[in-house]
């Protein structure tokens, strides 16, 4: 039986941490849909055309550590504006969501466009300053050399592009539950999300 948890929210809000933990807790599969756009962005940086790159995407393209750089994130948000790029990625996401045993998908349009009938919809957010600080620590921890100001600018620019695009803009689904992680530890945010999923399952 399928059970779909949709987790949307702006850049670096903690969606990945929460999604992984929720999936592990309930034994669900997890798809970070941002990786799809990042993989297309990476191919465009390497010289490919965005729509063709999205149409030819393979799961092995998602297994690349270099997809986590801010440069690839920017390229991802630029290709994510293109309706045909988004369209090319829909079937894979829906099929993942419908798999037996439960699935958690995190992204920007999961509860609104990809899985409007998801059993649980969370919108995970936090102040831009908090999100930038967390992403900064994460990137520095991976040995990347950058300033907090650059990370904040990147997060704000991507948010604006994601919120203002015509196709599948970043917006909470009407029936989503908002979790603001600004003043929550990772453990508290995870516990809040697990509580919502638990309630929906019983
Ligand atoms: O990890 P972070 O929240 O910074 O970004 P991500 O989830 O990896 O997504 C990278 C970019 O892909 C976003 O800025 C969006 O422009 C785009 N994206 C999207 O448009 N729709 C999704 N479902 C997931 C990501």
């Amino acid at each position: 039986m399928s059970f779909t948890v949709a987790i949307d929210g702006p850049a670096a809000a903690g969606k990945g941490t929460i999604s992984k933990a929720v999936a592990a807790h309930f034994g669900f599969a997890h798809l970070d849909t941002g990786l799809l756009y990042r993989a297309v962005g990476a191919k465009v940086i390497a010289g490919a055309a965005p729509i063709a790159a999205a149409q030819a995407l393979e799961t092995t393209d998602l297994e690349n550590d270099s997809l986590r750089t801010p440069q690839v994130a920017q390229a991802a948000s630029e290709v994510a504006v293109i309706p045909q790029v988004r369209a090319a990625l829909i079937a894979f996401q829906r099929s993942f969501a419908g798999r037996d045993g439960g699935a958690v998908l995190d992204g920007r349009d999961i509860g609104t466009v990809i899985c409007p009938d998801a059993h649980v919809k969370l919108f995970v957010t936090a102040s831009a300053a908090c999100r930038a600080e967390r992403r900064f620590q994460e990137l520095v921890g991976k040995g990347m050399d950058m300033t907090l100001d650059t990370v904040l600018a990147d997060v704000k620019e991507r948010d604006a592009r994601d919120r203002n695009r015509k196709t599948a803009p970043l917006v909470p689904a009407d029936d989503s539950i908002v979790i603001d992680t600004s003043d929550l530890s990772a453990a508290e945010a995870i516990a809040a999300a697990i509580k919502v999923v638990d309630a929906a399952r019983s």
Side-chain angles (χ1 to χ4, degrees):
M1 228 181 62
S2 74
F3 186 91
T4 309
V5 180
I7 303 187
D8 291 306
K15 302 181 300 292
T17 305
I18 292 176
S19 302
K20 277 193 211 105
V22 166
H25 182 88
F26 292 100
F28 296 163
H30 169 228
L31 178 64
D32 170 358
T33 66
L35 278 183
L36 302 172
Y37 295 89
R38 285 175 181 259
V40 176
K43 283 180 184 281
V44 169
I45 291 174
I51 297 170
Q55 288 168 344
L57 207 65
E58 293 178 5
T59 46
T60 47
D61 294 327
L62 311 180
E63 296 157 9
N64 190 336
D65 275 351
S66 66
L67 298 181
R68 295 290 178 193
T69 66
Q71 292 78 7
V72 172
Q74 273 293 337
S77 91
E78 284 166 24
V79 301
V81 171
I82 305 168
Q84 296 94 323
V85 166
R86 306 199 70 83
L89 304 176
I90 289 177
F92 176 74
Q93 295 175 82
R94 288 199 179 139
S95 142
F96 192 97
R99 59 165 57 195
D100 268 347
V104 181
L105 284 81
D106 72 282
R108 303 291 187 287
D109 61 341
I110 308 303
T112 51
V113 174
I114 303 297
C115 305
D117 298 325
H119 301 80
V120 177
K121 296 182 187 178
L122 297 176
F123 192 84
V124 177
T125 188
S127 70
C130 276
R131 294 186 284 117
E133 173 65 29
R134 288 181 198 152
R135 181 54 54 88
F136 174 67
Q137 295 300 344
E138 182 187 328
L139 295 171
V140 167
K142 284 183 181 164
M144 286 181 219
D145 177 25
M146 59 198 36
T147 65
L148 178 58
D149 279 353
T150 324
V151 177
L152 180 61
D154 167 75
V155 158
K156 284 185 169 171
E157 189 183 340
R158 285 198 289 129
D159 284 353
R161 203 180 282 125
D162 289 344
R163 289 194 171 109
N164 294 324
R165 68 180 173 226
K166 287 216 167 62
T167 308
L170 169 66
V171 56
D174 289 341
D175 50 351
S176 64
I177 292 171
V178 177
I179 299 179
D180 187 324
T181 67
S182 302
D183 298 319
L184 299 182
S185 66
E188 288 167 335
I190 290 165
I194 288 177
K195 202 171 155 193
V196 176
V197 177
D198 247 338
R201 271 165 42 105
S202 53

